[in-house]
Amino acid sequence: MKRGILAVVFILMGLAWAQTTARVGVLLPISTVAGKAALYGLQLAADQVNASGKVKLELVIADDGNAAAAAVPALTKLMTVDKVDIVIGGLSSGVTFALSGPVKQYGPLFLCIGAASSVVEQAFSGYDRFFHYHPWDYHNVAAAMEFFKYLYQQEGARKVAILYEDGPFGSAGIQTYQDQLKKVGFAVQAEPFKSGSGNFTAILTRFKSFKPDILYWIGYDVDALPIAAQTRQVGLEPKLIYGAPPAWPAGFEKNNLSNDIAGMTAWLPSVANNESRKFVSAYRKKYGEVTDEYMAPMGYTIVLSLGRALEAAGSADKDKLAEALAKVQMDTPFGPLSFKPSDTGKTKYQGFNQSIWLQFQYLEGSRRPVFPKERASRPLRYPGSY
């Protein structure tokens, strides 16, 4: 009897010894809509990975304050005090660009959740522990351009006014946007705004004489409501307001000013694939609600892929882990994920591309997919009522 009990104990001890444990630094702008969504997705996936019993993840969470001045010391603490070898973060392009030097200095495995700007791609060029999951800005341009070609060819749109923030996120790809819109046939007028300023009336007033069919703004969630309100205040009457923030403000859909505004997202809860349905069900069970912010499934996907890599590597050694992660192939709420060099060849491990994007419109209090047509749940309302 005693020998039987001892055998069970040894088996359990063996299982414990076989478990691979990793401390993972999480560096996100936790106070923002996108940062909070990403964190919730990360924690949901960590629960699932840990429940498997094969891998144990210990998340060490830090707030980057959505500012380089806070992000760099937060990363330094993760590396020198918390002693992590893996960091998940990099949501904002400007912050991630500032982190590129310290990341290269300390050498963690860096799993980047956002940071679409190709300025970031250039900054991490040659760093082989950099895994970028989010599409780059040129992928975003390619996906948006398909929509704008449709608007030109099928809806008769001819003029685009672009309002863009002057940081790396808004300005890095702006010349490419303009060139490609002109190539389609659009007349384009573009002006930058000071990031975080909140006052757009002067630029919107100047746009009135241009009489754009489309007002296209590139900025952050805090800009959405002021732009929607000030467009009306100055009497600008575009046929479509199209926004491109990394996340939309919480509760924006409940404001009447959101109606008919369009945008682009990588995911909505209505996406019909098995992994998306499983994510929505698990998210609702854990948090009691469903998010429509795509940073939640993006964080979820990153941690699940890390769990697979840890299991395959059988080690938390960052180089063995990078080798295993490079070979991961898995279905996700966005569709299939695997890594290959970025289109420019500057970075070695790129996850998703333009294929994950879809266009939506705020209609009757919720976001509805409207383009491409095979993924649409409602027809696009054009011209919209603003």
Side-chain angles (χ1 to χ4, degrees), residues 36-85:
K36 183 179 177 183
L39 180 61
Y40 277 19
L42 286 161
Q43 291 174 322
L44 175 61
D47 289 350
Q48 293 182 7
V49 169
N50 289 341
S52 75
K54 299 175 182 175
V55 170
K56 183 179 180 184
L57 298 176
E58 298 175 356
L59 303 184
V60 183
I61 298 166
D63 190 352
D64 74 13
N66 206 27
V72 172
L75 175 73
T76 302
K77 179 179 179 296
L78 286 173
M79 302 307 304
T80 59
V81 178
D82 300 309
K83 304 290 185 183
V84 304
D85 281 330

Side-chain angles (χ1 to χ4, degrees), residues 308 325 327-331 337-338:
R308 288 199 181 196
L325 188 57
K327 297 175 183 175
V328 164
Q329 295 186 19
M330 58 185 280
D331 291 327
L337 169 70
S338 61

Side-chain angles (χ1 to χ4, degrees), residues 83-372:
K83 304 290 185 183
V84 304
D85 281 330
I86 306 162
V87 175
I88 300 173
L91 200 153
S92 158
S93 292
V95 169
T96 311
F97 178 76
L99 290 175
S100 60
V103 166
K104 289 180 176 178
Q105 176 187 347
Y106 292 113
L109 180 65
F110 191 69
L111 311 184
C112 189
I113 191 170
S117 173
S118 48
V119 173
V120 176
E121 184 186 21
Q122 176 64 43
F124 280 93
S125 177
Y127 185 66
D128 289 346
R129 295 178 186 144
F130 177 72
F131 284 71
H132 190 255
Y133 287 72
H134 193 284
W136 289 112
D137 51 13
Y138 46 80
H139 296 132
N140 304 354
V141 171
M145 206 52 57
E146 286 302 309
F147 184 48
F148 279 84
K149 285 179 183 174
Y150 166 81
L151 294 171
Y152 184 90
Q153 295 168 354
Q154 302 298 322
E155 303 290 355
R158 291 293 183 266
K159 293 183 178 181
V160 181
I162 305 178
L163 185 63
Y164 63 96
E165 68 100 25
D166 61 358
F169 173 69
S171 59
I174 191 64
Q175 191 57 52
T176 303
Y177 265 116
Q178 292 187 66
D179 293 344
Q180 295 205 17
L181 285 166
K182 289 174 182 175
K183 190 174 180 181
V184 170
F186 283 106
V188 180
Q189 182 171 324
E191 291 200 36
F193 65 87
K194 182 68 176 174
S195 186
S197 65
N199 190 340
F200 310 96
T201 54
I203 300 175
L204 293 170
T205 300
R206 286 196 289 275
F207 282 161
K208 283 180 67 177
S209 58
F210 181 58
K211 296 182 179 178
D213 297 304
I214 302 166
L215 173 63
Y216 181 4
W217 65 269
I218 306 169
Y220 290 98
D221 55 327
V222 295
D223 303 317
L225 191 55
I227 288 174
Q230 292 168 28
T231 296
R232 292 162 172 82
Q233 289 168 7
V234 304
L236 185 65
E237 297 179 335
K239 295 173 182 173
L240 190 69
I241 298 178
Y242 181 87
W248 291 81
F252 187 57
E253 71 280 0
K254 297 173 184 173
N255 192 311
N256 289 336
L257 291 174
S258 72
N259 211 32
D260 292 352
I261 289 180
M264 189 165 72
T265 185
W267 175 87
L268 286 171
S270 57
V271 168
N273 68 51
N274 287 337
E275 296 306 315
S276 179
R277 282 192 284 266
K278 284 194 287 187
F279 168 76
V280 169
S281 175
Y283 193 96
R284 181 184 284 116
K285 184 177 181 181
K286 182 174 176 65
Y287 299 114
E289 60 182 7
V290 179
T291 181
D292 54 5
E293 290 299 334
Y294 76 89
M295 277 298 165
M298 189 65 79
Y300 177 81
T301 295
I302 290 174
V303 171
L304 290 188
S305 66
L306 175 61
R308 288 199 181 196
L310 279 162
E311 188 177 340
S315 167
D317 176 87
K318 54 192 175 187
D319 289 321
K320 291 180 180 176
L321 194 50
E323 186 178 347
L325 188 57
K327 297 175 183 175
V328 164
Q329 295 186 19
M330 58 185 280
D331 291 327
T332 79
F334 305 100
L337 169 70
S338 61
F339 292 97
K340 61 182 181 180
S342 64
D343 291 7
T344 64
K346 292 176 182 173
T347 56
K348 198 172 179 180
Y349 302 114
Q350 175 60 34
F352 297 112
N353 61 22
Q354 64 266 29
S355 65
I356 69 172
W357 291 116
L358 57 88
Q359 313 298 329
F360 70 86
Q361 193 170 29
Y362 282 98
L363 296 166
E364 287 83 42
S366 65
R367 290 192 237 184
R368 307 293 182 89
V370 294
F371 187 87

